[in-house]
Amino acid sequence: MTAAAESERVQVSEPGRLMAKEIAEQPEVLARILDEGLPQIRQVAAQIKAAGPRFGVFAARGTSDHAALYAKYLFEILLGWPAGLASPSTMTAYGAKPDLGEGLFVGVRQSGVSPDLLGSVRRARRRSSSTATRSS
């Protein structure tokens, strides 16, 4: 059985099992990200600090919305920045042009490609916002 087929079987036959598995993997994944990516993380953090954003806006799709919501709380609590969630489609499908000039716009995706999410990051960049993306 392929990994994808096994994952689908687990999702259908045993609700919660896949989520529990992914939660249990988090410490190892975080350690790997820090081990392999710490120089890049520091570089991005320095660029964000230099840009001096005054607020954060997160855009995500599906289960990545939960990660974005958690990040919103962290920004508000640890950085003291107001933060919010954006709907990618408001910019891509409906043509919204929010003023993001003093903000940090963060696109969050778990896997795969989300054209409207990437489009909203591009549009935010054109609107003079600092932007960042994270994919696990």
Side-chain angles (χ1 to χ4, degrees):
M1 179 178 289
T2 67
E6 173 64 14
S7 177
E8 185 176 333
R9 184 194 69 74
V10 168
Q11 289 177 20
V12 172
S13 65
E14 302 173 49
R17 182 170 170 209
L18 180 61
M19 184 181 292
K21 178 181 172 287
E22 289 177 345
I23 290 169
E25 293 170 350
Q26 288 178 358
E28 181 182 326
V29 170
L30 181 57
R32 186 183 75 241
I33 289 170
L34 291 175
D35 287 344
E36 297 172 5
L38 194 55
Q40 184 180 8
I41 291 168
R42 286 190 171 138
Q43 179 183 7
V44 169
Q47 290 171 343
I48 291 169
K49 185 175 181 179
R54 296 174 39 87
F55 62 90
V57 176
F58 296 88
R61 281 276 175 243
T63 57
S64 295
D65 278 325
H66 299 291
L69 181 60
Y70 183 65
K72 173 191 170 320
Y73 275 81
L74 292 177
F75 269 48
E76 292 173 344
I77 294 166
L78 299 177
L79 299 176
W81 295 0
L85 303 175
S87 301
S89 61
T90 60
M91 288 190 266
T92 58
Y94 298 104
K97 297 177 183 174
D99 180 0
L100 302 167
E102 294 184 343
L104 172 64
F105 189 91
V106 182
V108 182
R109 62 189 174 97
Q110 193 168 12
S111 61
V113 176
S114 174
D116 62 338
L117 178 60
L118 295 176
S120 66
V121 171
R122 286 188 198 105
R123 187 164 292 221
R125 191 174 295 133
R126 286 194 300 268
R127 299 289 297 165
S128 301
S129 176
S130 298
T131 58
T133 58
R134 174 66 195 132
S135 177
S136 57

